[in-house]
Amino acid sequence: MAAPRFTLGALACALATLAAHAAAADGAPDLVLLHGKIHTQDATRRVVPALAVRGNTIVATGTDADISALRGPATRTINLAGRTVLPGLIDAHTHPAQGAQDLGKCNLSDAALSSEQILAQAKACYRANPGDPRHWFEVTQVNPSAVSLSLADLDSIAGKRPLLLLGSDGHTTWANSAALAAAHISAASKDPVGGRIERDAAGRPSGTLRDAASDQLQLARPAYGLAHQAAQLGRAFAAMRATGLTSVQDAAVDDATMQIYKRLYDEHRLDMRVRASYTLTDLGAPADAVVAGAIAFRTKWAVDPDFLRADAVKIFADGVIEYPSQTAALLEPYLDASGRPTSNRGPSYFTQDNLNRIVSAADAAGFTVHIHAIGDRAIRSALDAFAYARTQQKTDNRDQIAHLELINPADFPRFKQLGVIANFQLQWAVKESYIVGGTLAYLGPERSKYLYPARSLLDAGAVIAGGSDWNVSTFNAFEAMEHAVTRRAGRGADPLLPEQAIPLQVAVDAYTINAAFALKQEASTGSLDAGKRADFIVLDRDIFSIPAFDLHATRVLATYLDGREVYHASTKRAAGAAR
Ligand SMILES: [Zn+2]
């Protein structure tokens, strides 16, 4: 099946020509950086002191003498005074447009709270700031580890106003009676494909909804206007630039999400490269129909090959592993709290045969296939689908599996064999409440040796890309790098499988050149090579020579995107956005 593809090279030439018109007439660089420690992240991971930019493009890297000699009368010079420079960071799995809509809402910060504490805080929020009464009241970042809320509990928070509590795992939603009624979710409702409506003994919805069961609520909820949504996204991107991000892969978009990006783009405020993964929702439908929908979507949203495109598809292969959700698909059953096997292996959201066909058809159409897989059975099933696709055609689509919480060791070598990128969220690879309270006991000691096995995949030759899954977690990549390198939540904390720690250089690769590869934009970003776009960041410290436990405190002093300064620490332009 022929597919329209962006010719990045041709466009690069066109843009470079345009930029050159704006640049100095004498052909000299517009900007040079001198006296720095510039980690180019090129093929040999060269560190150089100097770099020159013309228009939106890096024109040279090298010694202070070589780069100084290129300067013309109009060239601006920045003396880095020994500071460290990295390529602009790339978040390979995040949800900016969606996550941004929660900025300013009641936020429980993913704290491990009891049901009573959650009720008390939600009520306090509602009293303090009920917000626009035409909209539903929403409480975000609710840590689901220890929550058991009845419908009566939920109804006690905001009375007759529709209410949603949104789980920080991204897979659990609690709704009060008014919200359930507005969404027509009742005892007669069937569980949708890919989701579960929790029920009481009489079969009535109890207010807890898993995965796709919450889609109906999202549809029933009155939407904010596009201008509001775009402004929220603008706030989120400003905050991301302040932590060094210059490119993102949105891991799950639909038409409404793309409209938010397009609005910012049309307003010339999209200072972030966005590559979007279109969520395939009906995994029971014939593959041709599913992929035809994705192709139409890609064509519609091919806005700008450098800044806004939707040439990836997203598939949810399972849910989450933590108790009480336990919707991740496991090869062997979950254990109960005392270590005895249950009958639950987690749901299957599709048949393997149909997944194979959909993945192969999407691959043949030139999409990057991005699969959410948490449990060892979902990961194996995703790998099996990629293996099937490889028997059908040879492609180079940077297919990837995200999250990778529990991998069966037999599958470690398959990532390299099949050319599947390991898209990790290593912020999570520490002993926090989800792991300690909700995972270890339910998997047992044997399986728990393979949680977020980053080092094992590295040793098995896999390409590792990094992502935050914001707003499930912070988008600050330096915090995730610290956890990837230490496997600890902080100095003195108990480690989670310290043998699975990866070197800092590998973590930096994951957020630069490897993430660029995953986004199919390594020809223009991900390293500081002559000819690539001038996306780079200046740091307040040399991350390669500090204690790993200080990585999270790294501050970005300036962020450049396409040769333009889009963040400067002293301007405080990024103030306001959370996490
Ligand atoms: Zn995600």
Side-chain angles (χ1 to χ4, degrees):
M1 196 176 327
R5 298 213 197 173
F6 301 122
T7 53
L8 279 174
L11 220 109
C13 290
L15 285 178
T17 311
L18 278 177
H21 287 299
D26 57 4
D30 299 309
L31 173 68
V32 300
L33 312 182
L34 300 176
H35 312 300
K37 266 192 188 165
I38 301 173
H39 288 259
T40 61
Q41 289 292 104
D42 71 359
T44 60
R45 304 298 186 266
R46 227 163 24 111
V47 181
V48 296
L51 174 153
V53 174
R54 185 174 161 80
N56 66 355
T57 303
I58 297 163
V59 290
T61 61
T63 65
D64 287 326
D66 289 347
I67 299 299
S68 294
L70 301 174
R71 287 187 291 183
T75 302
R76 194 160 73 87
T77 299
I78 294 176
N79 179 357
L80 290 167
R83 290 213 169 88
T84 295
V85 169
L86 292 179
L89 301 180
I90 301 173
D91 189 333
H93 185 115
T94 177
H95 303 275
Q98 243 188 334
Q101 305 314 315
D102 287 347
L103 297 176
K105 286 181 188 166
C106 180
N107 184 332
L108 300 192
S109 304
D110 195 23
L113 303 174
S114 67
S115 299
E116 293 70 34
Q117 289 170 315
I118 287 171
L119 273 182
Q121 293 197 13
K123 286 176 185 172
C125 266
Y126 187 67
R127 277 194 303 273
N129 182 16
D132 184 340
R134 291 168 300 177
H135 288 278
W136 292 14
F137 186 71
E138 293 176 43
V139 180
T140 67
Q141 292 293 320
V142 179
N143 183 317
S145 336
V147 183
S148 161
L149 292 168
S150 69
L151 195 55
D153 291 335
L154 294 161
D155 286 345
S156 71
I157 298 172
K160 295 207 169 354
R161 176 139 163 227
L163 160 100
L164 297 182
L165 268 56
L166 303 160
S168 50
D169 60 353
H171 295 265
T172 315
T173 303
W174 296 264
N176 70 358
S177 296
L180 291 172
H184 306 292
I185 295 172
S186 68
S189 303
K190 291 203 181 77
D191 285 353
V193 175
R196 192 165 77 222
I197 302 167
E198 302 288 355
R199 297 164 199 271
D200 64 17
R204 290 179 300 245
S206 63
T208 304
L209 301 112
R210 312 279 180 202
D211 289 315
S214 69
D215 292 355
Q216 226 170 309
L217 291 163
Q218 311 288 350
L219 290 173
R221 178 175 61 168
Y224 283 87
L226 195 53
H228 172 88
Q229 295 179 63
Q232 292 280 95
L233 176 59
R235 277 176 72 188
F237 275 160
M240 289 181 193
R241 290 192 292 273
T243 65
L245 291 170
T246 50
S247 294
V248 294
Q249 177 160 253
D250 188 317
V253 300
D254 58 14
D255 215 67
T257 329
M258 293 307 289
Q259 286 177 31
I260 305 173
Y261 289 118
K262 180 67 164 36
R263 175 73 169 241
L264 265 194
Y265 182 85
D266 288 342
E267 293 172 353
H268 306 286
R269 291 194 293 136
L270 185 64
D271 286 334
M272 186 69 70
R273 303 186 194 279
V274 178
R275 196 274 182 113
S277 309
Y278 171 60
T279 307
L280 304 182
T281 47
D282 190 358
L283 300 177
D288 281 357
V290 171
V291 174
I295 291 171
F297 190 90
R298 175 175 62 188
T299 305
K300 176 176 180 185
W301 294 112
V303 175
D304 180 333
D306 262 2
F307 279 93
L308 188 55
R309 61 196 160 105
D311 58 341
V313 292
K314 172 69 173 295
I315 290 170
F316 285 91
D318 64 352
V320 293
I321 219 164
E322 289 82 19
Y323 179 86
S325 284
Q326 297 186 330
T327 49
L330 302 186
L331 291 165
E332 300 298 329
Y334 288 91
L335 309 180
D336 66 17
S338 50
R340 281 181 298 264
T342 67
S343 60
N344 179 28
R345 290 169 201 258
S348 285
Y349 290 162
F350 43 75
T351 65
Q352 185 66 42
D353 190 50
N354 218 44
L355 183 70
N356 291 353
R357 286 173 212 260
I358 290 173
V359 166
S360 183
D363 179 59
F367 287 102
T368 294
V369 180
H370 183 151
I371 300 185
H372 163 122
I374 298 249
D376 52 7
R377 190 175 91 239
I379 291 164
R380 178 165 294 171
S381 164
L383 290 166
D384 288 349
F386 288 127
Y388 173 79
R390 303 294 180 259
T391 66
Q392 302 302 299
Q393 64 267 327
K394 288 277 164 281
T395 55
D396 178 24
N397 285 323
R398 323 299 166 80
D399 297 319
Q400 46 207 277
I401 303 178
H403 306 326
L404 301 166
E405 184 160 357
L406 175 66
I407 312 179
N408 186 287
D411 290 323
F412 292 162
R414 299 180 75 199
F415 286 78
K416 181 180 183 194
Q417 285 161 12
L418 297 168
V420 174
I421 297 165
N423 188 325
F424 269 117
Q425 287 61 52
L426 292 174
Q427 175 76 16
W428 304 338
V430 295
K431 276 199 174 163
E432 37 68 78
S433 64
Y434 288 103
I435 296 282
V436 175
T439 303
L440 295 177
Y442 302 96
L443 295 180
E446 187 51 36
R447 282 183 291 187
S448 293
K449 290 192 294 200
Y450 304 111
L451 291 168
Y452 304 115
R455 179 76 210 200
S456 294
L457 283 201
L458 179 69
D459 291 344
V463 172
I464 295 177
S468 67
D469 209 15
W470 188 73
N471 63 355
V472 174
S473 305
T474 174
F475 50 65
N476 188 329
F478 296 102
E479 290 187 32
M481 288 180 201
E482 178 176 325
H483 289 183
V485 169
T486 67
R487 305 282 293 198
R488 288 167 168 85
R491 258 193 190 87
D494 218 18
L496 175 72
L497 308 173
E499 67 277 16
Q500 292 295 346
I502 55 173
L504 179 60
Q505 180 62 59
V506 175
V508 172
D509 290 354
Y511 281 93
T512 55
I513 190 64
N514 288 3
F517 181 76
L519 272 65
K520 270 196 195 174
Q521 61 177 51
E522 80 284 359
S524 60
T525 65
S527 66
L528 304 175
D529 286 300
K532 289 198 183 188
R533 302 294 191 281
D535 294 2
F536 60 88
I537 58 178
V538 183
L539 306 183
D540 73 339
R541 66 196 71 195
D542 179 1
I543 58 171
F544 292 95
S545 65
I546 58 171
F549 290 110
D550 292 337
L551 278 167
H552 69 276
T554 303
R555 294 278 164 269
V556 173
L557 301 177
T559 301
Y560 281 76
L561 171 69
D562 231 23
R564 290 178 294 125
E565 188 184 69
V566 291
Y567 169 75
H568 193 281
S570 64
T571 65
K572 297 196 168 58
R573 251 186 285 164
R579 287 164 67 87

